[in-house]
Amino acid sequence: GEGVTLVFGRLGVRRAGSVGLVTFGAGRPRVLPPRGSKPAIVALRRTLAEGVARDGEHDPGALADALARVGRLARAPGLVVVVSDFREQRGWERPLGSLRVRHAVLAVEVADPREGELPALGHLALVDPETGARLQVNTSSRRLRERFAELERERRAAVAGELKRLRIKHVTLSTSEDWLVALGRRLRVS
């Protein structure tokens, strides 16, 4: 996601525009006010270098809050690029739809194929980092692995369907591919 953010930041600056950033997921949201030229890219790199949320740092409303903040801050029409995996985030639909009223919006979904499959490792004890609940599963079960993959396909289809309903341009990138080439190809096609 950091690379995608830098690409769009550079494109914005190259077109004599300004670039701002609202982060979510790692501690308190950070806001970089719009800047142009080299200071924008330096600030963008510095903020992205501070990292993303670690496992267990999960706020299901973080994306919705960040989008609402962008809506309050971005008064002049422009391009809003949302870079997220959209996993376990709730309530983002309304603020994203509101942004589309005034801005061109692009949703870049970054997907890790490893999150969509459950490897056959035998018996596992899983702990929910949010609740501490412990669950024993047998990952050798083909039926369990197939159901897990089916649920992930349904989740991704639901995100794509909601973005389509909102008329938000949607690009999915995979961590297993050359994302820069894929991004260029997908933006050119649509």
Side-chain angles (χ1 to χ4, degrees):
E2 292 91 357
V4 174
T5 303
L6 279 172
V7 164
F8 281 103
R10 286 190 175 147
L11 287 173
V13 167
R14 186 174 294 160
R15 295 190 179 260
S18 57
V19 176
L21 177 72
V22 175
T23 67
F24 68 96
R28 293 183 56 218
R30 290 170 300 221
V31 176
L32 289 179
R35 299 179 192 171
S37 193
K38 189 175 179 178
I41 300 303
V42 170
L44 197 58
R45 281 185 183 278
R46 185 177 303 126
T47 302
L48 292 172
E50 292 174 10
V52 296
R54 295 183 297 273
D55 288 342
E57 289 182 9
H58 173 68
D59 176 0
L63 176 56
D65 292 345
L67 294 171
R69 185 173 292 210
V70 169
R72 289 190 301 272
L73 296 173
R75 295 287 181 212
L79 173 64
V80 174
V81 181
V82 180
V83 181
S84 176
D85 62 5
F86 292 91
R87 296 188 76 78
E88 302 177 37
Q89 289 295 314
R90 292 189 288 275
W92 52 265
E93 300 86 346
R94 178 170 287 184
L96 190 59
S98 294
L99 283 173
R100 196 192 146 289
V101 171
R102 181 177 289 156
H103 307 282
V105 180
L106 171 64
V108 179
E109 181 181 7
V110 180
D112 184 343
R114 296 172 297 183
E115 292 177 333
E117 59 189 40
L118 189 61
L121 299 172
H123 292 276
L124 289 179
L126 305 173
V127 177
D128 182 334
E130 302 301 315
T131 66
R134 185 180 169 117
L135 175 67
Q136 298 277 343
V137 295
N138 181 2
T139 61
S140 297
S141 166
R142 190 181 93 229
R143 187 173 179 195
L144 175 70
R145 291 192 316 274
E146 288 171 352
R147 180 65 179 138
F148 184 87
E150 179 185 340
L151 288 170
E152 179 61 13
R153 283 190 301 274
E154 289 172 4
R155 184 200 66 78
R156 296 207 42 226
V159 168
E162 188 59 26
L163 291 169
K164 184 176 182 177
R165 185 186 74 76
L166 293 169
R167 296 187 313 227
I168 303 288
K169 186 175 177 114
H170 177 214
V171 173
T172 301
L173 301 177
S174 174
T175 58
S176 67
E177 66 185 344
D178 184 337
W179 63 266
L180 189 55
V181 171
L183 178 63
R185 189 178 307 123
R186 290 183 183 116
L187 290 177
R188 201 170 330 133
V189 169
S190 42

